[in-house]
Amino acid sequence: MNPLNSIAFRHCESQNRRHFLSRLAGGTMLFAVPGAFADALIRTPAQTEGPFYPDHLPLDTDNDLLIVNDTLTPAVGEVTWLSGRILDARAEPMRNALVEIWQCDAKGVYLHSGSANGPKRDSNFQGFGRFLTGSTGEYLFRTIRPVPYPGRAPHIHYKVKRNGKELLTTQCYIKGQPQNERDGVWKGIADPKARDSVTVDFVALKNSRAGELAARFDIVMGFTPEA
Ligand SMILES: [Fe+2]
């Protein structure tokens, strides 16, 4: 079985959604997305958490941000399969890493009571998701391509936790976005290689008739955990 299928299987509760996610992931080339793990091991730089880590978690915190619980209406946005690996400083996959992502919806609204335009929030967008890695260190989310909002280039926030401890807070960006050059957080990463490591391709998913995208963001932690 394609490892992505097994990942999708493990993390989707309902039978229907399990089938749906595995069908979409099956036979795709997510692992071959250009921009996958580079030769040189660049530690993923830490970046600000920002003000919008959800102050109330959604009812559903799984890895499919397009559907909240079992509602039928998906979120508005460009569907993106976001995957990658969590690696330690020796490039060994890290298991039992809890990967959390959060991002604004297609209108730039976060799942946070302090977010601008709160009443316009897309209630079908989960806004936050979690994934617990297995032995391969792989994670997978189905979400939307991030959009810009005033003052920021499109980005997705990440937190990596292990055994209840926060290990890294960072963000990833879309390669080729002109807004990146004007984004204070992105520019705040002094080392160009480190900046590149958080700036990833969002490419058309091969054989997707629905125009889905795929993006791959590997995270290299700055330490080697004890077994
Ligand atoms: Fe943000």
Side-chain angles (χ1 to χ4, degrees):
M1 181 187 275
N2 178 325
L4 269 184
N5 287 1
S6 64
I7 288 170
F9 267 114
R10 231 179 337 160
H11 289 267
C12 295
E13 292 104 337
S14 84
Q15 197 67 35
N16 285 343
R17 287 175 57 204
R18 196 175 292 146
H19 176 70
F20 180 57
L21 282 182
S22 65
R23 183 167 55 82
L24 284 178
T28 59
M29 295 287 286
L30 288 185
F31 283 109
V33 170
F37 194 56
D39 320 315
L41 197 62
I42 307 286
R43 287 180 186 181
T44 303
Q47 295 169 78
T48 177
E49 177 177 313
F52 298 123
Y53 183 90
D55 56 355
H56 53 287
L57 291 184
L59 294 172
D60 183 5
T61 58
D62 73 357
N63 64 332
D64 184 8
L65 281 70
L66 288 190
I67 301 277
V68 179
N69 284 334
D70 284 325
T71 51
L72 297 175
T73 315
V76 173
E78 286 185 81
V79 176
T80 300
W81 291 87
L82 177 64
S83 64
R85 283 186 304 166
I86 309 298
L87 304 170
D88 68 19
R90 294 177 312 197
E92 297 290 337
M94 195 184 286
R95 66 177 303 163
N96 287 328
L98 183 66
V99 184
E100 294 183 338
I101 64 167
W102 69 103
Q103 66 183 105
C104 60
D105 67 15
K107 289 187 172 159
V109 186
Y110 276 98
L111 183 63
H112 190 286
S113 53
S115 183
N117 298 318
K120 288 193 188 155
R121 197 174 75 76
D122 176 2
S123 59
N124 295 314
F125 184 53
Q126 198 169 289
F128 172 93
R130 286 180 168 142
F131 191 97
L132 187 65
T133 62
S135 57
T136 63
E138 283 281 340
Y139 71 84
L140 171 69
F141 293 98
R142 190 172 72 145
T143 187
I144 60 170
R145 184 183 199 267
V147 300
Y149 59 83
R152 291 302 315 272
H155 60 279
I156 296 178
H157 294 267
Y158 275 74
K159 248 186 212 302
V160 181
K161 300 176 178 175
R162 198 165 187 253
N163 299 328
K165 224 173 105 189
E166 284 192 18
L167 302 181
L168 179 71
T169 302
T170 192
Q171 306 182 24
C172 84
Y173 303 83
I174 303 172
K175 196 174 276 182
Q177 281 285 310
Q179 293 109 319
N180 292 343
E181 310 286 340
R182 300 191 291 273
D183 186 286
V185 182
W186 187 83
K187 284 194 299 187
I189 305 167
D191 177 357
K193 281 188 184 158
R195 215 185 286 153
D196 278 355
S197 76
V198 298
T199 312
V200 304
D201 284 310
F202 280 64
V203 298
L205 184 61
K206 217 175 165 186
N207 302 326
S208 167
R209 277 188 236 137
E212 294 165 308
L213 305 173
R216 187 95 183 136
F217 177 43
D218 289 320
I219 292 180
V220 181
M221 308 298 287
F223 67 96
T224 305
E226 310 110 47

